């Protein structure tokens, strides 16, 4: 069987989950899970492979699963719970061993039998692979130290609300990689816009840049393994792209199609960082992520500009990141909380003579933590001038004496600019640029 089916694994609860493997052609196989008296039978194809769906109960365990043909494989310590795929580049990969806030304290108390990790090694290939050589691990101080911190804190927060429900984290992440390598190659190649952007990527020494290279090895072998949803933390390696929102939409759509259902997809907006003074490459990616979150159904984005120093491309507060992602899942997917867990987001721009009025969603208690306005305004010439702002309920009124007829508004528009506007949940407004 593929190594994603190993001792200590977590299967999605109350679902029809697919398991699969290899056997001699027409070998008869019997699957017997210990949570039921029912057995499942299938037969290997003439291509020496087999697959079957089995019903899982409500969360719990540990269980065993016996898979018997000419030989027998017994999977032990199997838990039933919630499974999340966690992918991206170094900020998803980043473990406590890299140095996170309160790292030693967190490592010491990270013994949770109900949290399990399946971490993919970094591998690339020109064609789709069918196995990842790894295994499920129980969350202990030792395993957590080298596992994804963002994923770990996501699971920890889920369990604070969901109590005894096991959480399985399948982590496929590779530092320094662009989004193109995580997208199926055929998706990029058949889209002229995405292919042109991919062809502009500059080779690097620490990973591949060609479309599909990590998808083939680190995502494709997992397709079919039932997941509750996906977490994504990536974008820094695409700074310079002006089509990242299209890239992200293509990745999400392709993954959902391959899995066969529209699972929730929650992602982290990259943090402010000085990518260079002579361009807006970083903030353009943040704005593209904002637009993608607005356009893609059953998705959500967390903004982290308030917990990220502008001089560190690897923010060390991964607890805030994981908790914010978990809050989106707890509210929008599990419907277990009804708190304000989203950052404010732009909903509408209305022009009133020499003023611009911006309305927001999730903006209850909107406030600024400094007197400085981070808004700029332009007319048809797109020459931007600093603008005054006035907060009125959940709207902001923008104006400048230098712009008689507003056309475009931008906020916190700089690679390393941190937002100073928050809602009552103390979640920051994303940088943005909009026009009427």
């Amino acid at each position: 069987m593929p190594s994603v089916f190993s001792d200590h694994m977590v299967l999605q609860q109350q679902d029809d989950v697919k398991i699969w493997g290899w056997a001699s052609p027409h070998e008869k196989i019997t699957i017997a899970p210990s949570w039921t008296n029912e057995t499942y039978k299938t037969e290997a194809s003439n291509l020496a492979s087999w697959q079957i769906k089995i019903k899982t109960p409500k969360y719990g365990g540990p269980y065993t699963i016996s898979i018997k043909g000419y030989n027998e494989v017994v999977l032990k310590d199997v838990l039933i719970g919630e499974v999340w795929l966690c992918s991206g580049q170094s900020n998803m990969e980043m473990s406590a061993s890299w140095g996170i806030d309160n790292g030693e304290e967190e490592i010491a108390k990270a013994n949770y039998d109900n949290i399990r990790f399946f971490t993919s090694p970094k591998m690339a290939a020109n064609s789709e692979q069918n196995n990842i050589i790894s295994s499920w691990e129980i969350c202990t101080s030792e395993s957590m130290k080298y596992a994804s911190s963002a994923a770990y804190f996501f699971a920890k927060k889920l369990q604070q609300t969901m109590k005894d429900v096991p959480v399985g984290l399948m982590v496929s992440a590779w530092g320094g990689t662009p989004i193109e390598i995580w997208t199926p190659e055929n998706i990029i190649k058949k889209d002229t816009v995405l292919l042109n952007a991919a062809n502009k990527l500059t080779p690097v020494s620490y990973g591949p840049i060609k479309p599909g290279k990590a998808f083939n090895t680190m995502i494709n072998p997992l397709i079919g393994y039932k997941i509750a949803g996906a977490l994504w933390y990536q974008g820094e390696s695409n700074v310079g792209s002006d089509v990242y929102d299209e890239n992200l939409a293509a990745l999400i759509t392709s993954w959902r199609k391959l899995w066969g259902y529209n699972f929730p997809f929650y992602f982290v907006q990259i943090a402010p960082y000085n990518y260079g003074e002579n361009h807006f490459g970083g903030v353009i990616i943040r704005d593209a992520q904002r637009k993608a979150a607005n356009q893609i159904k059953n998705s959500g984005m967390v903004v982290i500009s308030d917990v990220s120093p502008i001089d560190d491309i690897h923010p060390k507060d991964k607890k805030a990141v994981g908790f914010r992602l978990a809050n989106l899942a707890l509210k929008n997917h599990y419907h277990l909380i009804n708190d304000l867990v989203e950052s404010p987001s732009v909903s509408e721009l209305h022009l009133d003579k020499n003023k611009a009025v911006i309305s927001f969603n999730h903006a209850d208690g909107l406030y600024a933590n400094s007197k400085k306005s981070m808004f700029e305004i332009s007319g048809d010439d797109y020459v931007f001038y600093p603008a005054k702002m006035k907060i009125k309920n959940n709207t902001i009124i923008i104006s400048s004496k230098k712009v008689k007829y507003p056309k475009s508004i931008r906020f916190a528009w700089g690679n390393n600019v941190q937002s100073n506007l928050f809602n009552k949940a103390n979640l920051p407004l994303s940088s943005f640029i909009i026009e009427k």
Side-chain angles (χ1 to χ4, degrees):
M1 298 181 73
S3 51
V4 73
F5 299 105
S6 75
D7 294 348
H8 318 304
M9 71 179 181
V10 182
L11 291 175
Q12 185 63 31
Q13 67 170 324
Q14 294 179 300
D15 216 325
D16 291 324
V17 304
K18 184 172 83 169
I19 62 173
W20 65 91
W22 304 282
S24 294
H26 307 296
E27 182 177 348
K28 290 179 170 54
I29 297 145
T30 301
I31 298 95
S34 68
W35 60 78
T36 178
N37 292 324
E38 185 176 357
T39 58
Y40 299 82
K41 295 184 178 181
T42 187
E43 183 177 315
S45 72
N46 62 341
L47 299 178
S49 64
W50 60 269
Q51 65 178 46
I52 193 169
K53 287 187 176 180
I54 64 175
K55 290 186 181 297
T56 54
K58 187 178 178 181
Y59 70 87
Y63 299 106
T64 60
I65 305 174
S66 163
I67 303 98
K68 189 179 294 185
Y70 297 149
N71 63 317
E72 183 178 15
V73 174
V74 179
L75 304 176
K76 303 181 185 70
D77 188 33
V78 175
L79 298 184
I80 307 296
E82 296 295 311
V83 182
W84 286 80
L85 173 62
C86 313
S87 189
Q89 57 180 109
S90 55
N91 274 305
M92 179 60 83
E93 180 187 354
M94 185 176 178
S95 66
S97 68
W98 294 27
I100 61 170
D101 288 351
N102 305 310
E104 293 303 316
E105 177 188 347
E106 294 291 351
I107 291 168
K109 59 185 182 184
N111 291 292
Y112 296 98
D113 182 71
N114 271 3
I115 297 175
R116 307 285 174 90
F117 300 103
F118 180 87
T119 303
S120 171
K122 298 183 185 72
M123 294 183 71
N126 292 326
S127 58
E128 295 174 351
Q129 306 297 298
N130 60 13
N131 196 11
I132 292 172
I133 305 303
S134 186
S135 60
W136 285 90
E137 290 185 295
I138 299 169
C139 179
T140 64
S141 292
E142 185 62 23
S143 62
M144 174 270 186
K145 183 177 181 180
Y146 300 102
S148 165
S149 291
Y152 164 76
F153 285 116
F154 171 83
K156 189 176 178 182
K157 180 65 175 177
L158 284 191
Q159 290 200 331
Q160 286 180 6
T161 300
M162 301 173 79
K163 305 302 182 189
D164 298 326
V165 177
V167 180
L169 303 164
M170 298 196 299
V171 182
S172 286
W174 190 335
T177 54
I179 192 170
E180 285 86 353
I181 77 162
W182 298 100
T183 309
E185 183 181 18
N186 66 303
I187 299 297
I188 302 283
K189 284 194 166 181
K190 71 183 182 183
D191 187 309
T192 304
V193 172
L194 299 185
L195 184 58
N196 286 339
N199 289 336
K200 293 176 183 176
L201 291 168
T202 304
V204 293
S205 61
Y206 39 80
I209 61 166
K210 297 296 185 184
K213 288 292 188 286
F215 169 84
N216 289 338
T217 48
M218 299 172 70
I219 298 296
N220 190 71
L222 303 176
I223 291 170
Y225 196 99
K226 198 77 176 192
I227 58 174
L231 309 178
W232 178 252
Y233 195 167
Q234 190 276 341
E236 298 90 347
S237 288
N238 285 95
V239 166
S241 170
D242 56 3
V243 295
Y244 187 85
D245 52 332
E246 295 178 54
N247 270 123
L248 187 54
L251 178 138
I252 296 171
T253 301
S254 65
W255 286 15
R256 285 174 170 172
K257 185 175 181 180
L258 289 164
W259 256 271
Y261 55 103
N262 292 328
F263 53 77
F265 192 101
Y266 303 129
F267 57 95
V268 185
Q269 186 183 60
I270 65 170
Y273 180 72
N274 187 9
Y275 290 97
E277 299 294 337
N278 61 341
H279 64 82
F280 291 112
V283 71
I284 287 171
I285 294 294
R286 296 205 302 273
D287 194 48
Q289 292 172 317
R290 177 192 68 86
K291 289 189 285 187
N294 290 339
Q295 294 163 359
I296 300 167
K297 290 183 178 179
N298 200 18
S299 73
M301 179 184 79
V302 297
V303 181
I304 59 166
S305 62
D306 59 319
V307 294
S308 307
I310 61 174
D311 61 350
D312 189 353
I313 202 168
H314 298 118
K316 293 180 172 55
D317 186 356
K318 290 295 185 276
K319 184 175 183 178
V321 173
F323 276 28
R324 288 179 187 184
L325 287 167
N327 281 335
L328 286 183
L330 288 167
K331 181 176 183 178
N332 299 322
H333 181 62
Y334 295 112
H335 309 295
L336 292 174
I337 62 174
N338 198 33
D339 305 334
L340 178 61
V341 298
E342 306 90 348
S343 278
S345 61
V346 176
S347 64
E348 189 178 2
L349 171 62
H350 174 67
L351 301 180
D352 182 10
K353 297 179 182 177
N354 66 334
K355 293 183 175 65
V357 182
I358 308 173
S359 302
F360 299 89
N361 297 318
H362 315 300
D364 291 354
L366 193 65
Y367 74 94
N369 70 353
S370 68
K371 292 182 179 179
K372 180 184 177 183
S373 170
M374 292 187 172
F375 285 93
E376 298 170 281
I377 192 168
S378 83
D380 288 332
D381 58 3
Y382 293 102
V383 176
F384 284 89
Y385 297 94
K388 293 180 179 179
M389 76 165 187
K390 180 182 178 182
I391 300 175
K392 187 175 181 181
N393 299 323
N394 292 346
T395 65
I396 295 179
I397 302 165
I398 310 295
S399 64
S400 170
K401 291 180 179 178
K402 294 186 177 181
V403 180
K404 287 186 177 180
Y405 304 104
K407 170 74 173 178
S408 188
I409 309 292
R410 65 190 191 188
F411 169 74
W413 199 254
N415 289 340
N416 60 357
V417 179
Q418 293 171 296
S419 173
N420 70 339
L421 286 170
F422 299 81
N423 60 19
K424 69 179 183 181
N426 297 316
L427 295 170
L429 172 65
S430 166
S431 48
F432 66 83
I433 184 168
I434 55 171
E435 65 177 58
K436 195 72 172 179

